[in-house]
Every structure is written in C-alpha cells, then in structure tokens.
Amino acid sequence: MTSEYVPAVDTGAVAELAALARIVSRQRAELDLLRESVAASAVVERAKGALMATTGCSPDAAHEALAQRAEAGDRTLLEECWLTLGALMPTTPAAAVPTGTGSAGTVPAAEPLAPAVARETPGRPGTAEILGRLGKALLHVGSPQELAGTLREHLTPRIDADAVLLYRRLPGDGLELVGHAGLDATLAAQWHQVPPLQGFAPLEALKAGEPLWLEDFTEDRQSFQLIDEPPGRWLSRAWLPVSADTVLGVLRRREGAFGLADRELLRSVARLGAGRLGALGAPAEPVASDLSAAVQSVLDALPGATVLLVPLRTGAGEVEDYRIEAATPGAVDILGRTGRELVGSHILESYPSVAGESLWQGYLKALGGGEPYEGEPFVYEEIVAGVTVTATYSVRAARLGDQLLVTWLRHDTEDRQEQRLAELQRLGNLGWANWNLVTRQVNWSTQVYTILGRDPGRGAVPLDLLPDLVLPEDAHALARAVSELARTGRSFDVPFRIRTGNAVRHLRAVAEAVSASDGTVVEVHGFVQDLTAQRSAELALVDSERAILVQRGVLDAERALAARLQHALLPLPSNPVRLHGLRVEVAYLPAQAGVHVGGDWFSAIELPDETALFVIGDVAGHGVDAVATMAQLRFTAKGMVSTGSSLTGALARLNFLLLHSRDAQSTATLVLARYEPAERRLAWAQAGHPPPLLVRGGRAHRLDRPEGMLLGASANPVYESAEFQLEPGDRLLLYTDGLVERPGEDIDAGLDRLAAAALAAGPGSLDALLAAMLAGERRDDVCVLDIRVPVADEE
C-alpha cells in the first residue's frame, strides 16, 4: 500500500480568492449596467441631434420635446427616441415639435430662422432649406472629421465656405484639431495641436463664449494669430463656439462681411453641430475593465508608487501613449495628482519627461517581449512641503495581459543613510560613540578608532576608562567631566590631547546623558573630534602675531631714533629768515604725518665771504640709513663750498663720497646755489634734481638745467653750472620731487601744475602753495625752499 502526499489547503487564501471573485462578479454586473446606460445615452443624444437638425432648436429644448412626446404616447423616453430615429426627419419643422410661445419647456418654432432684418441672398439656398438638408445628412455622420466635411459641403453653396475646422480644448487651454475639410494634409498636421497662444482666434472665441467674426484681413492679422498658409489665402473667417470645449471655424477666400442672414445660419449650424457631437459622444471617461478594477482594489492597499497602463495605439498599431487604468495611493504626477486621481490620464500628460527616453523604450520592450524591464537608477527631483528634494529611483515594468504594470522603486535605504553618515564623519573629522551604562555595551563608529589611533580589534573603551587614553596632564579634567555626567547627567565638552606614535593630537569630546524616569543615567552618547589641524593653525597664528609685535616694536624704535636724528641734524625754522637781503621760508612735510623720517634735506646759510648758500637734496629711501646719508651729504656740501670749492667741484666730490660710502647702493639728487648780494647774481648746479621755478612779473617758468647726473650713479659724471640775476619781486622755488610727482602721471604735468599754483597763490605765504599742490594722498617726503627778493618798500 502506497501513501500519497496531500498538500494542506490554505483556507485563508481560498477565502480571499472567493471574496475577490464575488467583487469581480459584482463589478462585471455593474459594468454591464454601465454599458447599457452608455448605449441608451447615445440613442437619446442621436434623437436629440435629429430633432435639432430639423428645427434648429437648442439641446435642452430637443430633450424636453422628446420627453413630452414619450409622455403623450405612454412610452419610455428610449422608445420615443428609437421611434424618432426610425421615422428620420419630418419634412416640416413645425410638425416635429410642439409649438409655443417660447416659454420654458417649449421650442420656439421660429428659432432657426433669421430675424426679419436678415434677408436671404437671391439665387442662393435659404436658411430653412440648408438646415433641412444638413439635418438629414448629419444622421449619417460618424466622426468629427466627417462632420466637418458635411458642414463644408452644405455651407459652400450659401456662404462660400472654403474650409471648415473643428477644434476641441485640451487641459491647460491648448487646442486639438479634431475635424477639418478644405485643408491640405501638411497644413492640418502643422496646426493639429496648438498651445495656448495669446490671440489665437479659436481660443479667444471659446473663452468669450461668443462668435468671433474676422472680416478685415489686414486689421485682423495685427490682432490675432491666424491660420494662414500661404499668407492671404483666406480673407474672411468666422469662429463660433459649438460647446464649452469645441469651436467651429469657417474660412473663406473672398473678403467681405458675413451678412445678418449668414450669421444666423452659422449660429444654427453651430447648434446642429453641438447636437451631432453629443450624439457621437465625445469620448467619455474610460470604463474600467474587470482586470483593471481588480488590480485597482489590490493597488489601493499597496505602499509605494505603482500604476497599471493601457497602451494607446495608432492606426498602424504603434504605441503613441499609455492611459493610467489603476494607481496606488503613493503614485503622484507633475500636477500633484495622486492615487485614483491619476486614473484616465495619459502618461505623457502626467510624466512628460518619459517621452523619447530609455524608459519609454523599456516600456515597449516589456510590452512586446513579455520580459520584465528594470531600468538603471536615476536621480529625480520632487517637491516635499515646498522644498526640492532629490532622491534616487529605478523603474520596473512588467506585462499584465495586454497591459503594463509599472513600479517606481526608491533607493534611499539604510545603507545609503549609513554612507552619508560615514561621509559626514570623515569630512568633519569626527566619530560618534555610545555607552550603555546598564548593559555595559559600547559602540563606536569606525572614525572614533581612527581619531584615537586605536586598533578596532582591541574593541571600544568603557566611558570611565576613557581618561586612561589621554595625556596625564589632561586626564584629570576629562575624568572629572565623565564622573559628573554619570552622577548628575550634566553634559560636557572637554578638550584633551593624546599621543599617537611621536605626534600629539588635539581632540575634543562632547557627550550628553539619557536618563531613566527616576533620573538615573542609563546611556551616554556623543562624539569625538580631531582638532589637531585647527590647533596647529591657532598656534602658528599666535607665533606670527608675536613676531609681528616684535617687528613693530623694532620699527617704532627705529622710526623714533631716525626722527630724533633728523630733528637734530635738520632743525626747521619756525618763521621766515633773512639771508643777505633775501626772505627765505622753509617747509618740510614727511610722507607719514607726524613722523619726520626721510632723506629730503635743505641748507640755507650765510658764508664767510658775504655770500649765501642754498642747498636742497633728496636721498633715496627712508629710515635711519637715509637720514645718515642725508647728514653726510649736508655737512660735506656746506664744508666744501665754505672752504672755496666750486659748485661743480663740490658735486663731483659728493658723487665720489657716495660711491665709496658704506652703502654703495645709495643715490641722491641735489641742487647747489650760491647767491652774491652785491650783484644779485645766483649761480647754481644740479645732480639729477627737478629744476628750480622762477616767478617774475606775473609769469612762472622752469630754469633750464645745466648738465648733471644724480649722485652715486656713475664714477665719471659731468657737472656744469649756470647763473642768472635776480630782480626785486622775484620768487625762486627749490623743491624735492615729492611736491610734483603723482603715480601714473608724467613729471612735466606736475611741473606745469606747480607753475599754475605758484601764480594762483600770489606773493602770500608758502602754506597756500602747499595746500594747492598736496591735496589728497601723498606717498613721498616734500621739502621746499621759498626764496623771495623783496621790493624797495619791503627791504
């Protein structure tokens, strides 16, 4: 006897399947009822359209007339509609519906006719005749495209309709060309879908809810976006709303206005078109299939983002879009719609970025081959609580019957969060630590072992033993902080040092306590941070500041010494002095206010031979060395001229002295002048110095410089002298280059500026001249000798 294995029955699964079967059965019954309802609605709309075609009445009036007939004949509305369609159209519009006075519930018999002032065009079909023929023709129209052709066929004999267009409004106020006649295929394709253009005539008519008559082509093209290819093809056109979302356009090659009768005819035709479009049934909301309904009931209970897609194919069988049949509550599109709000929308409407991407090809592959498609992860931006958040997703698509089940998978897992935490610790050079004081369990991140220089194989250190790892001089402070935290729960932030190999690291420990309900500390968490780099930078900064302070002290001492030397060597007179009948005023201004340290200098003395010596010079540089060189040249020049040396000989000897001084790199410029009062004759020589300025008789001019090279530049220089006679009222200015030089300016410009300032200042004091010349920043020392020859009444 053989034993046979009988698998156990999962009663729960059987119950769920049975329940699902009952749900599907109920939904199928509801679907059948819905289909019957849709079919009945289509019959009613067709009957309304037939009645509107023969009478030109409104949709509501046609429906009321059918209801009255059904009640009078003791028939249902559906039976009355079938009878109306079977009898086609009555030949007389007045016999089609009850007549009345135009009150609610009746159809005005004269509605489709033009007002009395709207006259018919002789030789052309009348309004009633056109509407009668059109109404019968519309019964055989099966699409908006056929409707446009039928309208053009019946309107052309009356109003020369060269083209008829039907546009339907899309979400977002775009328009779609759903029917056309009289347009070539290229132009129809070009204007098939139109974005919400400002001034596009069909859209403007829909927004206004009133007909738009464009009868002056030249003016209209300035105000509206016109369908016009080639330009000037249609010279007049009319756009009439057919319904809230459909508009009828009639385009004519001939120019001129639409007459009153033609306008009334087009309004009646628009109402007929509305009835026929209603009978055709602009695609209603898609009815869910049994499979879609079952899938939706399952998706309602699922997390994440999953949608069931139905492919929408062209006539050639190619997939041009997908319709969403079911969606999980977590699915969301770019418009913010979620879950069941997405059902019925299209993929390219809800997720336009899918078009043309590898994801689209993946959908086609899964739909055609049967193998599931799973795309590579990609980064996607989404708005969460008004903030842009980036997340990583991948998409999986699997075939389900002739439909497609698509799932978006988010990859923000714990692994990714741990990776981010590790990167944060590495970049911040810190690591987290956790001590459980009850279980004595210790957890350190990898970065803590790295910072402390501890082998992970040796394990983490309990909190009370952490001070054993630090330098002895820092251990006491850390131990006290740890003890205080364990006893009272007081957090700490303590710096300390450890030694790793031959190096010392500067660290920081921050910790806080987690206490039980009775206040007992049960857990401690915190972090350890390596501050060695920051501490090294701080110490280097302190050393630099200390060195700067020392250097500043040295410089201050040197400046003070140079100032004392200069003051001792170059005393400045407080008032103008008299030298052999000349009035001499001196000014010295250092580059840095209040510190008299520089290489500029002067001499103005009477010599033993009853002459006067004037010297002005400029030693390159500043500081003690410049002051020392200045003193050497000043006293040597006075001694040489006083003992009988000529001006040029003195310059040659000063050049030799400077070349053989302790600082052979020094150079200097100089002017030497000897004044003989008996003849008022001034002889002078110069070594590379700016020329003196002579002011005489209301004119100022620079003296021509005799030959002379600056001191210390050459071992064999040539120096020459010149002389001239001073006259009463003359003013002679000897100065250093700091008075006239400016950065980026030619020296001649500064000399011209000095001449102008000397004339403007007049015979007044030297202060006015200096104020005019030294306004603004000054980068060099300034020294000036102002020599005046008094007139007779001043002597």
Side-chain angles (χ1 to χ4, degrees), residues 463-495:
L463 182 63
D464 55 349
L465 299 181
L466 188 62
D468 295 343
L469 302 180
V470 308
L471 293 182
E473 50 268 38
D474 297 338
H476 179 69
L478 182 59
R480 184 172 63 252
V482 168
S483 176
E484 184 74 11
L485 180 142
R487 185 172 57 85
T488 65
R490 182 179 180 180
S491 60
F492 66 74
D493 184 342
V494 178

Side-chain angles (χ1 to χ4, degrees), residues 421-443:
L421 180 59
E423 292 173 353
L424 176 64
Q425 293 182 85
R426 179 180 56 82
L427 294 174
N429 207 2
L430 56 83
W432 62 265
N434 180 273
W435 292 272
N436 191 313
L437 304 186
V438 178
T439 64
R440 300 292 292 176
Q441 184 178 4
V442 182
N443 291 315

